[in-house]
Amino acid sequence: MAPAATPCSPRLLLASSASPPPLFRVAARPLLLGSRGGGVRLRVRCGAADEEAEVRRGEQVKASVEEMAPGLDLVTLAACLVGLLTGVSVVLFNLSVHEIRDLLWDGIPLRGASWLREEPTAEIWQRVIFVPVSGGIIVGGLNTLRSSIKTNSDGSVSNMKGVFRPFLKAAAASFTLGTGNSLGPEGPSVEIGSAIAKGFGNVFGWEGGKKLSLVAAGSAAGIASGFNAAVAGCFFAVESVLWPSSGDSSSLSNSTPMVILSAVIASVVSEIGLGSDPAFTVPEYDFRSPTELPLYLLLGVFCGAVSITLSRCTAVTMDMVERLQKTTGLPMAVSPALGGLIVGLLALVYPEVLYWGFENVDILLESRPFTSGLSAAVLVQLIGVKILATSLCRAFGLVGGYYAPSLFIGAATGMAYGKFMRFTFTGSEALFHVPFLDVASPQAYGLVGMAATLAGVCKVPLTSVLLLFELTQDYRIVLPLLGAVGLSSWIASSQRFSTSGKGKLDSLEEKTSTIEEAKNVPTQTQQLTSVDSVDATAELCKLESSLCVYDVKDDNVLENLTVAESMKTRYISVSLKTPVVEALNLMLVEKQPFVMITESNKSLLGLLTVKDFQDFCKTVKSTRMQPEVDECLVSHVCGVVRCKIWSVTPHMPLITAEKIMDSHGMDQVPVVSEHVNHQDGGILIGFVDRECITIARRALAAKEFFSFTSEIRREES
């Protein structure tokens, strides 16, 4: 018996000789997909279909999907369970770190690192060196096991083996921190919470906003239980998970109750398991007068510079270690032991660089009884040594976070700064006597320095402010804290040092001379801009992986698209010597708002939009340099408005291309061949614009819907 005819039987017409194959073929429901400027053109012709029936069918499908989706109450309950399990897991994690530390260090951390300064080196050198090395050896074995599970798992076995990866990473972090290597426990705590949240999402099959809310709840629980600070945990989830990942403004409001409940439950569990004391002993805070505020602002500048130093030092060290491994063939399993050896050698002279909980931070803040404070000179030395030790630990593969090291470095920076200011402005032997200026104690500057450095390194200013406010419970700290944190975050922001901004600093006279010289090739600065345009988020993820616990492209099937599946291959290409009028005529004929600039071998030199041409006209008019129309070339425009040369490759995830477009304010981006030489822009093969991305996502969503429907019908049959 022949199947019944459908009310609407579409026919697909493919129109483009140079187009890649279509993503799918439809045979059941009319779809209307369009594409301007070449690429894949899909036109669906339908007979006398009843539009009202189509609308009713769409409403029925939407209603059925909503009925199948889990309710908000179930997700909220899951967030509470995530908070509970995260709190218990973080308590067990911290207890394991304490047990390893007490076993290997034999109670030395309880006396503080300053005690080691008073002991003869001959009596302590073996323990100080070999304990971090032993931790590196164990971590190297755990890292190797974790890598083998990650690379050798596939299919259904992947889900079973994937459960062990977070456990192995937490175990590696326990041995890293328990043996005193220079990292911190808060990053692993956040990753523990996010791993539990992702496990819940995978069990219930939740995607999109529901899974995002769970991951945010897990991250908040990790920080709340790590610092015993629930409010800071909530703001951390907002800054590190919801704001970077949410494409819908409603996601933030929908996730807020889950984040709050998860953070509160995790904080209560942590207080029961680890005690109600804060992570470190907060000294008495003293804020003398508003005239002291400029000193805190200057401290924020110094903390921003220190934050940049830590980030850059980590990047350089990781690059050096990677080259060392490639050159010498150093096994990855041996690298953590080598990192532990270097930390141990540094600790012989500066024992404070070892991680012994926050006891060393208490020593810096002079809030620990029966300990003498360190001089400003020693504190400055500790800043540099701690930055070096922390960078080496991360580069050599030891596992831990950057929150505790950032707080340590900030405390040292603030204390050294505070002692210098007291010496400068107060006392009988002060260098400058300012009657209206009364400088507070160095501990006040130490607390503010901790928050400012944490904000500059990890890009979480609100979390840093709320964390210190929650720990001090003193409203007077808020004003200097906000000023210092704001300045540190602004200075440490990657956009402040982007070389792509150099073009904005050119004077009007330089632009005019550029027109007169008629440069035929882009400058070297322009060519290197693509290298400097790497997303700063990737660098931040390398520094602190807990800040990137939610990756949309791994969790949402609609984001598993590559550039090759959505790019268009029909474009306008001109050379630098092409007259501007000719380029504009081509754009008018092809109805495209941009032109590609290439060399004779199709190597990409840049991209110009209609707005770029308009800006060029305004600049020429304002400088009263109006060359002949026929003599005005594309090279003149590139010399004035800096033609864009950011590009993507075919196998790059489509969401990455979209992020590049968003970060640089572009509506289209060229696609070049995979083998890109940094001396040029690569061989141009197409482009991706907003329309491409929208069409590809809608098409894949429709494809997934029809595949799901067909699978259900086959099961019913």
Side-chain angles (χ1 to χ4, degrees):
M1 181 177 178
T6 58
C8 175
S9 179
R11 292 181 295 169
L12 269 65
L13 304 180
L14 181 63
S16 177
S17 59
S19 301
L23 290 175
F24 62 92
R25 298 179 182 275
V26 181
R29 185 178 176 183
L31 297 175
L32 181 58
L33 304 176
S35 175
R36 294 196 303 267
V40 178
R41 287 197 181 100
L42 297 178
R43 291 182 295 172
V44 181
R45 294 181 180 178
C46 183
D50 187 359
E51 295 183 359
E52 295 182 359
E54 287 296 320
V55 172
R56 287 196 298 270
R57 275 199 297 269
E59 293 177 351
Q60 292 174 358
V61 171
K62 182 178 180 181
S64 62
V65 171
E66 291 178 351
E67 290 177 0
M68 292 165 47
L72 183 61
D73 294 338
L74 181 58
V75 183
T76 305
L77 178 61
C80 295
L81 293 177
V82 167
L84 176 63
L85 294 178
T86 300
V88 173
S89 301
V90 171
V91 168
L92 295 176
F93 169 70
N94 282 277
L95 291 178
S96 65
V97 172
H98 296 164
E99 290 297 327
I100 296 172
R101 184 184 66 184
D102 295 340
L103 176 64
L104 297 179
W105 288 105
D106 193 20
I108 292 178
L110 298 178
R111 289 171 278 184
S114 296
W115 176 81
L116 291 177
R117 289 180 173 272
E118 303 172 359
E119 292 294 313
T121 306
E123 298 181 5
I124 63 172
W125 72 270
Q126 292 180 340
R127 187 183 296 270
V128 172
I129 290 179
F130 289 113
V131 170
V133 171
S134 64
I137 294 174
I138 299 174
V139 171
L142 293 174
N143 287 345
T144 303
L145 180 59
R146 184 160 53 95
S147 299
S148 63
I149 290 177
K150 184 176 181 179
T151 56
N152 295 335
S153 59
D154 54 354
S156 60
V157 183
S158 176
N159 295 329
M160 299 178 60
K161 290 185 176 181
V163 177
F164 295 97
R165 291 201 291 269
F167 173 78
L168 292 175
K169 189 170 185 179
S174 299
F175 282 99
T176 296
L177 303 174
T179 54
N181 287 285
S182 181
L183 290 170
E186 287 74 28
S189 299
V190 173
E191 295 188 25
I192 289 172
S194 64
I196 294 174
K198 290 178 181 178
F200 270 86
N202 293 333
V203 168
F204 290 100
W206 293 337
E207 299 291 346
K210 294 182 178 63
K211 196 166 187 178
L212 172 64
S213 300
L214 275 183
V215 174
S219 302
I223 287 292
S225 56
F227 285 108
N228 196 14
V231 177
C234 296
F235 276 83
F236 175 82
V238 172
E239 282 189 296
S240 64
V241 180
L242 296 179
W243 281 351
S245 303
S246 178
D248 185 5
S249 59
S250 62
S251 299
L252 180 60
S253 58
N254 293 336
S255 303
T256 301
M258 306 174 198
V259 168
I260 294 175
L261 291 174
S262 179
V264 169
I265 293 174
S267 183
V268 171
V269 173
S270 176
E271 185 172 342
I272 295 174
L274 300 176
S276 58
D277 295 333
F280 52 88
T281 305
V282 180
E284 184 178 354
Y285 175 75
D286 186 17
F287 181 59
R288 301 293 177 86
S289 65
T291 58
E292 195 183 1
L293 184 59
L295 298 182
Y296 286 99
L297 298 179
L298 183 59
L299 174 61
V301 174
F302 284 120
C303 290
V306 170
S307 302
I308 294 173
T309 304
L310 176 58
S311 302
R312 298 289 173 86
C313 184
T314 301
V316 171
T317 307
M318 293 179 69
D319 184 60
M320 292 177 59
V321 172
E322 184 178 357
R323 293 182 182 179
L324 176 65
Q325 292 171 343
K326 292 181 179 179
T327 304
T328 62
L330 181 68
M332 298 288 291
V334 181
S335 297
L338 184 58
L341 175 62
I342 298 176
V343 171
L345 293 174
L346 293 174
L348 287 177
V349 183
Y350 301 97
E352 290 84 3
V353 300
L354 295 171
Y355 174 76
W356 288 345
F358 281 94
E359 282 82 357
N360 288 343
V361 175
D362 294 338
I363 292 175
L364 297 182
L365 296 176
E366 300 177 5
S367 59
R368 191 177 181 85
F370 308 110
T371 57
S372 58
L374 301 175
S375 64
V378 175
L379 290 171
V380 173
Q381 296 172 32
L382 279 176
I383 296 172
V385 176
K386 186 67 174 181
I387 289 175
L388 178 61
T390 304
S391 302
L392 289 171
C393 286
R394 173 53 55 85
F396 279 107
L398 291 160
V399 181
Y402 262 43
Y403 301 97
S406 300
L407 293 174
F408 179 96
I409 295 170
T413 303
M415 287 294 295
Y417 177 85
K419 291 187 175 184
F420 178 78
M421 288 300 165
R422 284 184 70 88
F423 172 76
T424 303
F425 295 106
T426 62
S428 58
E429 299 180 357
L431 298 179
F432 303 97
H433 291 281
V434 182
F436 57 85
L437 180 61
D438 189 8
V439 180
S441 62
Q443 287 87 346
Y445 292 93
L447 288 173
V448 174
M450 293 172 68
T453 305
L454 177 63
V457 173
C458 298
K459 307 299 186 294
V460 284
L462 291 179
T463 303
S464 303
V465 171
L466 267 297
L467 176 63
L468 262 295
F469 175 67
E470 194 170 3
L471 294 177
T472 59
Q473 299 181 0
D474 192 340
Y475 184 77
R476 294 177 300 168
I477 199 175
V478 172
L479 186 60
L481 193 60
L482 287 173
V485 167
L487 269 178
S488 177
S489 301
W490 176 67
I491 291 174
S493 177
S494 58
Q495 286 81 4
R496 293 278 304 144
F497 300 94
S498 176
T499 56
S500 61
K502 292 181 180 179
K504 298 180 181 179
L505 303 178
D506 291 342
S507 63
L508 196 59
E509 290 77 14
E510 290 175 335
K511 292 182 178 180
T512 306
S513 62
T514 305
I515 300 175
E516 296 173 350
E517 293 174 2
K519 296 180 180 179
N520 292 326
V521 292
T523 62
Q524 183 179 4
T525 302
Q526 288 174 283
Q527 294 175 351
L528 295 178
T529 304
S530 59
V531 182
D532 298 326
S533 64
V534 179
D535 194 359
T537 305
E539 298 180 1
L540 187 60
C541 292
K542 288 183 179 180
L543 181 71
E544 180 51 72
S545 57
S546 66
L547 295 171
C548 304
V549 294
Y550 185 78
D551 194 356
V552 180
K553 65 178 182 293
D554 291 336
D555 295 328
N556 195 340
V557 67
L558 296 181
E559 306 299 340
N560 289 333
L561 285 169
T562 62
V563 171
E565 293 176 292
S566 59
M567 71 176 185
K568 296 179 181 179
T569 57
R570 182 177 176 181
Y571 52 85
I572 303 174
S573 176
V574 298
S575 67
L576 288 169
K577 297 182 180 179
T578 302
V580 171
V581 175
E582 181 179 344
L584 292 172
N585 284 333
L586 290 173
M587 296 168 65
L588 181 62
V589 171
E590 295 294 333
K591 304 300 185 295
Q592 284 194 1
F594 63 93
V595 292
M596 305 286 191
I597 306 172
T598 59
E599 293 180 333
S600 57
N601 61 348
K602 292 187 177 181
S603 178
L604 177 67
L605 294 179
L607 179 147
L608 289 174
T609 63
V610 174
K611 186 178 183 303
D612 294 331
F613 286 104
Q614 292 175 339
D615 293 340
F616 172 74
C617 294
K618 293 179 181 178
T619 303
V620 171
K621 184 177 180 180
S622 62
T623 56
R624 299 179 181 178
M625 293 290 299
Q626 300 185 14
E628 295 294 334
V629 175
D630 296 337
E631 298 177 358
C632 193
L633 306 179
V634 172
S635 60
H636 298 163
V637 184
C638 274
V640 173
V641 299
R642 304 287 184 182
C643 57
K644 307 172 184 64
I645 58 174
W646 295 284
S647 60
V648 297
T649 56
H651 295 291
M652 182 181 294
L654 189 59
I655 188 173
T656 304
E658 189 175 19
K659 287 182 179 179
I660 293 175
M661 295 165 63
D662 292 338
S663 61
H664 299 293
M666 302 170 61
D667 292 325
Q668 56 280 129
V669 62
V671 181
V672 298
S673 57
E674 296 288 346
H675 304 287
V676 178
N677 183 359
H678 290 315
Q679 298 300 323
D680 54 47
I683 304 302
L684 180 64
I685 58 177
F687 72 93
V688 171
D689 59 8
R690 304 285 182 181
E691 186 182 33
C692 292
I693 296 174
T694 301
I695 292 175
R697 285 178 174 168
R698 290 179 178 177
L700 184 60
K703 178 185 176 182
E704 293 295 330
F705 172 78
F706 286 118
S707 300
F708 178 73
T709 305
S710 301
E711 184 178 353
I712 292 178
R713 290 179 178 176
R714 285 196 299 267
E715 292 178 355
E716 291 177 351
S717 301

